[in-house]
Amino acid sequence: MAGRKIRVLIAKPGLDGHDRGAKVIARALSDAGMEVIYTGIRQTAEQIVTAAIQEDVDVIGLSCLSGAHMTLFPRVTEILRNRKAEDITVLGGGIIPFDDFATLKKAGIKEIFQPGTYTEDIIQYIKENVKPRQ
Amino acid sequence: MLRFHTQTAGSTLTLQQPDNNVVRVAFQALAAVLGGTQSLHTNSKDEALALPSESAVRLALRTQQVIAHETGVADVIDPLAGSYTIEALTDEIQARATSYIEKIDAMGGAVKAIESGFMQREIAESAYQYQREVETKTRTIVGVNDYKMDEPPLKDILRIDLEIERKQRKKLERVREKRDQGRVNEALAGIKKAAETTENLVPHIMDAVKFYATVGEVSNTLRQVFGEYEERV
C-alpha cells in the first residue's frame, strides 16, 4: 500500500481556548496533502492519546498557550509509552519559552515551534522526519 | 449608546524583537480610545514568549496611562470627528457589517451560525489568509518577515515554578478538611435543582462558595445538568 498520506492529530491539551494557531497549522498541513484531524479545545492527555491511536496517526501536534505545557506535554508522551504507541512523533507549539525546550525534548517531544514559525517550515520538518506507516 | 470593551490583539504580538510589541500595543490602544472605547485591556510585550512578567504587565498599564494623561485624546468626545478617512471607513464597516448580519440572519441567527460552524470557519479562514500573507510577504510584519535580525532570547520572562501545583493541591486539601461537607453537599444539590429549572443560579452559587465549595465542584454540578460544549470541527 504505497503512498499512504501522513496522518496528523492537532490537539489542544488543557484549559486555554487559544485555537487560532492550532487551526492555522491544521489547515496548512491539510493543504500540504496530509490527513489532519483536529481535536478541538480543552482535551485531556488521555483523550488526545486515545484519539491518536484510534485515528492511527503518525504525528501529534500539541498546542498550548496557557503555560501548563511542562505538565501536559510530558503527560501525553508518558501515556503514549504506556500504551505502546511511542512511535507516534509528538511536536509542540504555542507559548513555549526557549528554556523549557531541553526538558520537553528529554520527555519525548521531538520538536517545538515558537510563534513566528512559518507553516512551510513545519510542513518541511514533518516531511523530512516522519515516514507514514504502511 | 453602544458600550464596548477593547483588548489589543494578542495575535499581533511577535516573539521576534519583543520590544516592537510595546509600539504595536500603544497604537492599538490609541485606536481603541480614538474609537470611543469604555474599557481597555492592553497586552504585555512578552506574551508571545511566556505568561507575562510583572514588569511587562506594568508597562502595558503605563501605556494606557500615558494615553489617558499625556496625549490629550481623552479630553474630547470624538477627536477624529470630521476626518474624511475615518468617516468613510466607518461607513464601509457599517455597510459590510450589515450585510454580514443579514447573511447570518438568513441562516437562522447567530446561534444557528455557530452550531453550523459558519462563524468558526470564517474566523479560521481569516487567520489562515493572514498567515499566508505573512509567509508570502504580501503583508509585512516588522521583525518577522522583514527588518529581521539575530537576537538572543529575551531573558527577563516569567518562570512558572512547578511547585505551585503541589502547594495549591495541599491548600485545597486543607480547605476540604476544614469545611462543613454537609453544608457543601446541600448547597451543590441546590445548584443542581435550580439548574434544572429557569431559576437564577447566582444566589445558589454564592451559597455554595460561602461554604467553600470549589469552582471545580460548582462547575461539575452544572455539567451534570447542562453537559459540555462540544466543538464542531
Side-chain angles (χ1 to χ4, degrees):
Chain A
M1 218 176 85
R4 196 192 104 147
K5 288 179 174 177
I6 297 175
R7 290 175 66 81
V8 185
L9 184 79
I10 298 295
K12 282 217 40 94
L15 297 178
D16 79 281
H18 303 97
D19 58 4
R20 179 185 170 101
K23 285 179 171 174
V24 167
I25 301 292
R27 171 78 183 276
L29 298 184
S30 170
D31 281 1
M34 300 179 201
E35 302 219 13
V36 183
I37 303 113
Y38 171 56
T39 63
I41 58 173
R42 292 204 336 269
Q43 300 292 303
T44 64
E46 287 79 7
Q47 286 171 323
I48 291 167
V49 171
T50 300
I53 293 171
Q54 272 173 6
E55 296 285 353
D56 193 25
V57 300
D58 309 294
V59 182
I60 300 175
L62 298 171
S63 166
C64 179
L65 290 84
S66 70
H69 53 274
M70 294 300 272
T71 306
L72 295 169
F73 286 8
R75 200 170 284 165
V76 169
T77 49
E78 187 194 330
I79 299 171
L80 280 172
R81 275 194 298 277
N82 292 342
R83 295 174 65 173
K84 306 267 175 282
E86 63 265 53
D87 56 327
I88 299 175
T89 302
V90 183
L91 307 174
I95 307 296
I96 317 292
F98 188 70
D99 287 356
D100 294 343
F101 280 28
T103 311
L104 290 173
K105 286 189 174 173
K106 224 165 139 187
I109 312 297
K110 285 283 170 352
E111 192 54 80
I112 296 144
F113 299 101
Q114 290 186 302
T117 305
Y118 281 16
T119 57
E120 288 295 330
D121 294 336
I122 299 173
I123 291 163
Q124 197 187 338
Y125 177 89
I126 293 175
K127 284 184 173 167
E128 280 172 7
N129 291 280
V130 178
K131 293 269 168 295
R133 272 173 292 164
Q134 298 306 320
Chain B
M1 193 219 291
L2 173 69
R3 293 184 186 278
F4 62 101
H5 168 80
T6 308
Q7 178 170 352
T8 59
S11 58
T12 66
L13 300 173
T14 64
L15 170 134
Q16 297 72 20
Q17 304 175 33
D19 282 347
N20 296 346
N21 294 325
V22 179
V23 184
R24 294 187 176 101
V25 167
F27 281 134
Q28 292 169 19
L30 178 63
V33 174
L34 292 172
T37 196
Q38 282 85 33
S39 164
L40 180 60
H41 174 121
T42 36
N43 285 75
S44 302
K45 68 167 186 172
D46 58 356
E47 287 186 46
L49 293 103
L51 295 180
S53 69
E54 187 78 26
S55 68
V57 171
R58 190 183 311 111
L59 181 56
L61 174 62
R62 295 288 179 258
T63 304
Q64 295 201 26
Q65 290 160 340
V66 169
I67 292 172
H69 301 294
E70 298 184 24
T71 65
V73 294
D75 296 346
V76 290
I77 296 292
D78 186 1
L80 294 182
S83 152
Y84 170 76
T85 307
I86 297 298
E87 299 297 348
L89 286 173
T90 305
D91 288 346
E92 189 185 336
I93 288 174
Q94 186 182 6
R96 288 168 64 176
T98 302
S99 77
Y100 222 155
I101 289 167
E102 280 164 0
K103 192 173 171 185
I104 290 165
D105 281 347
M107 290 175 192
V111 173
K112 283 263 160 27
I114 291 169
E115 283 170 355
S116 73
F118 170 77
M119 293 212 195
Q120 297 90 319
R121 276 197 305 277
E122 290 287 287
I123 295 167
E125 175 64 27
S126 136
Y128 187 63
Q129 288 315 324
Y130 181 96
Q131 182 64 25
R132 295 302 315 145
E133 288 165 24
V134 173
E135 293 190 26
T136 55
K137 245 182 135 177
T138 48
R139 176 192 288 270
T140 298
I141 306 295
V142 174
V144 173
N145 63 3
D146 211 345
Y147 312 104
K148 293 191 273 191
M149 58 186 201
D150 288 326
E151 52 184 333
L154 192 70
K155 285 254 175 298
D156 185 23
I157 61 169
L158 182 75
R159 315 267 160 205
I160 305 292
D161 185 355
L162 294 177
E163 263 296 281
I164 289 172
E165 184 188 345
R166 200 192 55 82
K167 280 186 194 155
Q168 185 61 23
R169 283 180 187 278
K170 269 250 140 55
K171 270 162 85 179
L172 188 59
E173 259 170 50
R174 278 202 296 277
V175 168
R176 286 204 165 113
E177 275 163 22
K178 277 198 276 180
R179 68 186 185 179
D180 184 340
Q181 189 61 44
R183 282 289 189 46
V184 172
N185 293 345
E186 233 171 78
L188 292 174
I191 292 176
K192 192 173 175 200
K193 217 174 134 207
E196 283 159 353
T197 69
T198 56
E199 204 187 326
N200 185 356
L201 290 171
V202 174
H204 294 281
I205 293 172
M206 294 298 287
D207 276 348
V209 297
K210 276 177 194 157
F211 297 123
Y212 287 95
T214 66
V215 173
E217 289 165 335
V218 171
S219 310
N220 282 334
T221 304
L222 295 175
R223 232 172 244 132
Q224 286 171 29
V225 180
F226 300 129
E228 244 181 77
Y229 173 70
E230 269 178 48
E231 203 173 352
R232 296 175 47 97
V233 286

